[in-house]
Amino acid sequence: MSRAETMAPEPLAPSILDIERATLTAVPAPILAFDGPFVVRRFRGGTGRANAACPMDPSPDPCLASRLVRIEAFYARAGQPTRIRSTPLDPPGMTALLQARGYRPRDESQVILGRIAVVAASDAAAEVLAAPEPRWAEVMASAEHQSPARQAEKAAMPGLLGVPAAWVLLHDQGRPAACAFVTADGPLAGLFDLAVRPECRRQGLGQRVMRAAAAWAAAQGAAWVYAQVSCANHASLAMNARIGLREHYRYTYYLKTA
């Protein structure tokens, strides 16, 4: 048998729908409803993904206007603003209809993707935890935009997740310095919640904890790894590019506050 015949085939890149489904699994919400092609989810009002309606089919939706009315009622009953996540899976005309109804775009982000074999690297200073222990949560709380609602949602995740997951803590000079959260959903690994203590930044610790988290997911059988980064966070995008993650697509939240 030739070397070409024994080589493993190249893993197929995941589709946008594959990644969207995996991320819904990786960032769970305990309250959800389905309305046509939309998944409508609610938690404690913390993370955008767990408190937003997401379209999952780019086909024309003749009932879109009435669907949005029902989605708005879903969030109004909970006293939360309506948040719609716009992706390449939007039905035609969705963003124009949202803007006509008083929604405004916020928080454009990139979904970045890479082969896990390129990204993953084990690290002796990385500790893999089975839950977001207080040591992990303390590092996570040092990041920006960590409201009490976000922190409460993260603390509740172990009881909601349906796929293998790990909370990775990187030590530097004997103390926790950086953290990340990772899921392994078949061939797809999701990297979330990267944080580095302010006094430990610009030392390459973010790259190391991301690589260590990817190494854990590779051991679970993942072939691809994705993450989500704000388009305004140029430093994080540059760091992720250095470890092999490149833009795959973008998404934007549309928020109605009134």
Side-chain angles (χ1 to χ4, degrees), residues 77-180:
R77 288 192 293 271
Q80 287 189 14
T82 304
R83 184 185 282 110
I84 309 290
R85 193 165 175 278
S86 172
T87 75
L89 300 178
D90 291 354
M94 187 187 83
T95 57
L97 181 57
L98 290 174
Q99 290 175 328
R101 292 182 66 82
Y103 288 78
R104 294 295 177 263
R106 292 179 58 181
D107 305 325
E108 184 183 31
S109 295
Q110 292 185 21
V111 176
I112 51 180
L113 178 72
R115 292 180 181 168
I116 207 162
V118 174
V119 179
S122 12
D123 195 312
E127 182 181 5
V128 176
L129 306 173
E133 296 180 10
R135 294 176 298 143
W136 185 95
E138 183 181 354
V139 178
M140 186 70 249
S142 70
E144 293 79 10
H145 312 301
Q146 294 304 305
S147 66
R150 277 180 176 257
Q151 293 180 50
E153 289 179 358
K154 294 179 195 304
M157 286 182 71
L160 298 173
L161 283 163
V163 294
W167 288 261
V168 181
L169 196 57
L170 187 75
H171 297 267
D172 182 56
Q173 297 182 2
R175 71 167 190 154
C179 71

Side-chain angles (χ1 to χ4, degrees), residues 13-244:
S15 68
I16 292 173
L17 181 58
D18 291 334
I19 296 174
E20 287 295 297
R21 286 174 170 167
T23 312
L24 289 171
T25 301
V27 186
I31 302 169
L32 63 86
F34 292 91
D35 195 320
F38 282 74
V39 181
V40 189
R41 310 198 315 151
R42 180 164 64 80
F43 203 172
R44 301 190 182 189
T47 60
R49 179 62 71 97
N51 298 274
C54 304
M56 304 296 284
D57 185 346
S59 303
D61 182 3
C63 301
L64 180 59
S66 58
R67 206 178 306 289
L68 289 175
V69 172
R70 291 192 294 272
I71 291 171
E72 289 168 359
F74 174 93
Y75 290 105
R77 288 192 293 271
Q80 287 189 14
T82 304
R83 184 185 282 110
I84 309 290
R85 193 165 175 278
S86 172
T87 75
L89 300 178
D90 291 354
M94 187 187 83
T95 57
L97 181 57
L98 290 174
Q99 290 175 328
R101 292 182 66 82
Y103 288 78
R104 294 295 177 263
R106 292 179 58 181
D107 305 325
E108 184 183 31
S109 295
Q110 292 185 21
V111 176
I112 51 180
L113 178 72
R115 292 180 181 168
I116 207 162
V118 174
V119 179
S122 12
D123 195 312
E127 182 181 5
V128 176
L129 306 173
E133 296 180 10
R135 294 176 298 143
W136 185 95
E138 183 181 354
V139 178
M140 186 70 249
S142 70
E144 293 79 10
H145 312 301
Q146 294 304 305
S147 66
R150 277 180 176 257
Q151 293 180 50
E153 289 179 358
K154 294 179 195 304
M157 286 182 71
L160 298 173
L161 283 163
V163 294
W167 288 261
V168 181
L169 196 57
L170 187 75
H171 297 267
D172 182 56
Q173 297 182 2
R175 71 167 190 154
C179 71
F181 168 64
V182 58
T183 57
D185 190 351
L188 269 175
L191 284 171
F192 303 89
D193 294 340
L194 169 66
V196 180
R197 286 184 182 276
E199 67 272 22
C200 300
R201 292 172 187 170
R202 296 182 179 84
Q203 300 176 37
L205 301 183
Q207 292 187 50
R208 287 175 56 189
V209 75
M210 291 281 277
R211 288 188 181 279
W216 175 88
Q220 315 306 308
W224 293 89
V225 59
Y226 69 92
Q228 302 172 50
V229 180
S230 168
C231 291
N233 193 340
H234 303 295
S236 183
L237 288 170
M239 182 273 288
N240 281 288
R242 286 194 292 273
I243 65 174

